[in-house]
């Protein structure tokens, strides 16, 4: 008796725009819009009511500033002979751990982190852009331990 194998689906990884487009976007749009969004987010973070929106903006800062694609976890599962592909956001640390980290470290350390990234961008005359890109991409993790 011949048993048929379930079909295998291979989907390309979502990569986002290339390095040159991300660099041009950062220089002409992302740097200025990102600065405004950072300022708005920190003003919102001062208030309890605005804190969720402020943290949401800070977690989206890599996309806003550098067009960094959001990473997702992909699972391939076989259920009743059918191959299912499930995509979801990366698993996060427990909420209480993230909240305690933000209250004790994240709120002030992320401000220093972003300040260093801004200084590196401005003072290095472009030579520090790769490191600044990485630093801006890490802002969600530095602020709230969010994995994007």
């Amino acid at each position: 008796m011949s048993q048929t194998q379930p079909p295998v689906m291979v989907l390309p990884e979502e990569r986002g725009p290339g390095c040159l487009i991300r660099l041009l976007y950062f220089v002409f749009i992302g740097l200025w819009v990102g600065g405004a969004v950072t300022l708005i987010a920190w003003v919102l973070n001062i208030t309890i009511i605005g804190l969720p929106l402020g943290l949401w903006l800070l977690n989206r800062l890599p996309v806003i500033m550098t067009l960094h694609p959001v990473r997702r976890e992909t699972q391939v599962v076989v259920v009743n002979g059918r191959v299912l592909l499930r995509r979801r956001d990366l698993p996060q640390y427990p909420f209480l751990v993230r909240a305690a980290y933000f209250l004790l470290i994240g709120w002030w350390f992320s401000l220093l982190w972003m300040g260093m990234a801004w200084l590196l961008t401005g003072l290095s005359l472009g030579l520090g852009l790769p490191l600044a890109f990485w630093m801006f991409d890490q802002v969600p993790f530095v602020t709230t331990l969010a994995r994007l």
Side-chain angles (χ1 to χ4, degrees):
M1 178 178 211
S2 171
Q3 190 173 9
T4 59
Q5 295 291 330
V8 176
M9 297 174 57
V10 178
L11 298 176
E13 184 179 324
E14 297 175 23
R15 292 185 147 181
C19 187
L20 180 62
I21 292 177
R22 286 181 68 193
L23 177 67
L24 291 173
Y25 173 86
F26 176 75
V27 170
F28 292 110
I29 299 170
L31 191 62
W32 315 111
V33 172
V37 168
T38 301
L39 182 64
I40 291 168
W42 273 102
V43 168
L44 288 170
N45 283 347
I46 293 172
T47 68
I48 293 174
I49 293 172
L51 185 62
L53 181 58
L55 291 176
W56 184 84
L57 286 172
L58 287 176
N59 286 340
R60 299 306 177 272
L61 201 58
V63 176
I64 294 168
M65 290 190 75
T66 66
L67 296 178
H68 183 272
V70 176
R71 291 180 289 179
R72 301 200 183 274
E73 185 178 74
T74 303
Q75 277 185 320
V76 179
V77 182
V78 178
V79 178
N80 296 330
R82 299 180 79 189
V83 177
L84 300 176
L85 194 65
R86 295 182 183 153
R87 289 192 177 165
R88 62 181 183 168
D89 292 336
L90 295 175
Q92 301 294 328
Y93 292 103
F95 174 76
L96 291 177
V97 171
R98 292 179 63 199
Y101 173 85
F102 174 75
L103 291 174
L104 296 174
I105 300 168
W107 69 271
W108 61 267
F109 185 59
S110 63
L111 185 62
L112 291 175
W113 184 266
M114 287 186 284
M116 289 186 302
W118 280 95
L119 283 173
L120 185 62
T121 300
L123 297 178
S124 69
L125 301 174
L127 296 176
L129 280 181
L131 182 58
F133 261 50
W134 177 79
M135 290 178 77
F136 285 124
D137 285 347
Q138 298 303 312
V139 166
F141 185 78
V142 169
T143 306
T144 63
L145 298 178
R147 295 181 64 208
L148 296 180

